């Protein structure tokens, strides 16, 4: 059976996330203006501010309270330096430069690329034409993507979602009716998706734009066990925690950078008005329950939503305040 173009390409949406890891270094120093469970007290001395490792591991504990048992600094032993780590199902996963590795793989950390723990923006920033420097950086990143990248360490998320292989992952999948369509996702996010739908339907009663967006939905794609295209890194669709929502008509606009790059080599220079964006009420409904929107990524993917609650906590956002 021929795989539809949307399923074949749309499910590589998580590729975009792998390429925003370049922002993580700069984000480490970024201020966190809003309250979060991991924020230091106002009177804390400058030199006592948490490291990125502490912030990320505590964000994971806050984002997955029923799955991550705790986050703490673990003293090194056996010649291994101490590091922040999270406990999942009885095993510690060490920060290791953002790779979240079990202890037995710490000596192989260089074999993996980091997980994208980035600072997520509350609002879509105003469009600005990329500078020459930014253009060069995007071009270099796109070239690197074609050459392939190191494998993103899968161990933490494999344990978090109990999905170490295709069969184990498929055992966690359930189908849900969402906005009139059936989509397969990890059973651990069924409640969150149901609440997202509730908010979207409520918004549609007063907002014709939201109702029109719902009526224009053509396809939805959730779980699919696969790696990110041109890489050895596992897609978040493999865990069933990402969902792509493709409209019947894009109205001549772009929704996904990879598709756009087939027609426009400088896809990063496509302004917002030429990208298909869901209504703001839809985006905010997803965000309120821990789903990041791919339209805010440098490698834009406006049809893509991905369950990453730790990203909101890491960015200083209290999810309950977004509802």
């Amino acid at each position: 059976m021929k795989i539809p173009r949307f399923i074949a390409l749309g499910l590589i949406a998580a590729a975009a996330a792998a390429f925003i890891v370049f922002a993580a270094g700069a984000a480490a120093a970024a201020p966190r203006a809003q309250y979060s469970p991991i924020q230091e007290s106002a009177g804390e001395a400058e030199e006592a501010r948490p490291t990125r490792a502490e912030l990320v591991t505590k964000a994971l504990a806050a984002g997955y309270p029923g799955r991550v048992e705790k986050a703490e600094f673990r003293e090194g032993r056996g010649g291994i330096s101490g590091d922040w780590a999270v406990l999942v199902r009885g095993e510690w996963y060490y920060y290791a430069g953002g790779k979240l590795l079990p202890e037995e793989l710490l000596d192989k950390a260089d074999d993996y690329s980091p997980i994208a723990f980035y600072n997520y923006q509350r609002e879509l920033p105003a469009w600005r034409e990329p500078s020459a420097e930014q253009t060069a950086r995007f071009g270099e990143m796109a070239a690197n993507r074609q050459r392939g990248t190191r494998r993103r360490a899968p161990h933490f998320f494999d344990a978090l979602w109990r999905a170490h292989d295709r069969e184990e992952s498929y055992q966690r999948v359930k189908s849900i009716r969402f906005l009139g369509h059936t989509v397969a996702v990890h059973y651990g996010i069924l409640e969150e998706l149901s609440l997202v739908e509730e908010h979207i339907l409520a918004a549609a009663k007063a907002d014709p734009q939201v109702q029109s967006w719902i009526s224009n939905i053509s396809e939805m794609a959730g779980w699919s066990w696969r790696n990110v295209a041109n890489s050895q890194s596992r897609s978040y669709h493999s865990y069933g925690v990402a969902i792509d929502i493709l409209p019947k008509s894009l109205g001549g606009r772009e929704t996904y950078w990879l598709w756009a790059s087939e027609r426009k080599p400088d896809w990063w220079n496509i302004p917002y008005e030429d990208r298909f964006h869901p209504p703001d009420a839809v985006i905010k409904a997803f965000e309120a329950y821990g789903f990041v929107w791919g339209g805010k990524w440098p490698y834009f993917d406006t049809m893509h939503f991905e369950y990453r609650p730790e990203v909101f906590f890491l960015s200083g956002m209290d999810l309950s305040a977004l509802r």
Side-chain angles (χ1 to χ4, degrees), residues 34-51:
Q34 303 166 45
Y35 169 79
S36 87
I38 61 171
Q39 208 166 11
E40 68 268 26
S41 63
E44 193 168 16
E46 180 76 19
E47 61 271 15
R49 286 187 176 179
T51 63

Side-chain angles (χ1 to χ4, degrees), residues 261-320:
S261 70
E262 297 173 2
R263 296 176 293 278
K264 302 175 182 179
D266 62 338
W267 52 267
W268 54 81
N269 202 27
I270 298 173
Y272 294 151
E273 59 263 29
D274 292 335
R275 304 180 188 184
F276 186 92
H277 285 187
D280 191 57
V282 171
I283 297 168
K284 291 191 180 307
F286 272 100
E287 291 176 338
Y289 290 95
F291 292 83
V292 297
W293 174 52
K296 291 182 180 178
W297 294 340
Y299 277 66
F300 70 86
D301 191 351
T302 69
M303 65 180 169
H304 182 83
F305 296 91
E306 184 175 286
Y307 188 66
R308 297 288 302 281
E310 78 278 10
V311 170
F312 291 91
F313 290 119
L314 184 60
S315 305
M317 298 184 201
D318 181 359
L319 289 176
S320 63

Side-chain angles (χ1 to χ4, degrees), residues 14-81:
F19 293 95
I20 55 179
V21 70
F22 73 92
R32 288 165 288 123
Q34 303 166 45
Y35 169 79
S36 87
I38 61 171
Q39 208 166 11
E40 68 268 26
S41 63
E44 193 168 16
E46 180 76 19
E47 61 271 15
R49 286 187 176 179
T51 63
R52 189 68 175 176
E54 180 179 356
L55 291 173
V56 168
T57 52
K58 288 186 175 180
L60 289 167
Y64 305 98
R67 297 177 184 275
V68 175
E69 298 170 49
K70 57 182 173 179
E72 66 179 41
F73 186 84
R74 303 272 292 170
E75 296 294 341
R77 57 186 185 275
I80 299 175
S81 299

Side-chain angles (χ1 to χ4, degrees), residues 142-156:
N144 288 338
R145 181 186 186 281
Q146 294 302 322
R147 289 192 289 266
T149 60
R150 287 178 299 169
R151 179 189 186 194
R152 183 179 62 220
H155 311 85
F156 168 76

Side-chain angles (χ1 to χ4, degrees), residues 232-271:
Q232 301 179 60
S233 297
R234 192 160 296 157
S235 166
Y236 288 107
H237 282 283
S238 292
Y239 303 116
V241 297
I243 180 171
D244 292 339
I245 304 175
L246 187 68
K248 296 173 184 174
S249 172
L250 293 171
R253 289 168 288 177
E254 303 291 350
T255 187
Y256 183 33
W257 75 271
L258 186 60
W259 295 351
S261 70
E262 297 173 2
R263 296 176 293 278
K264 302 175 182 179
D266 62 338
W267 52 267
W268 54 81
N269 202 27
I270 298 173

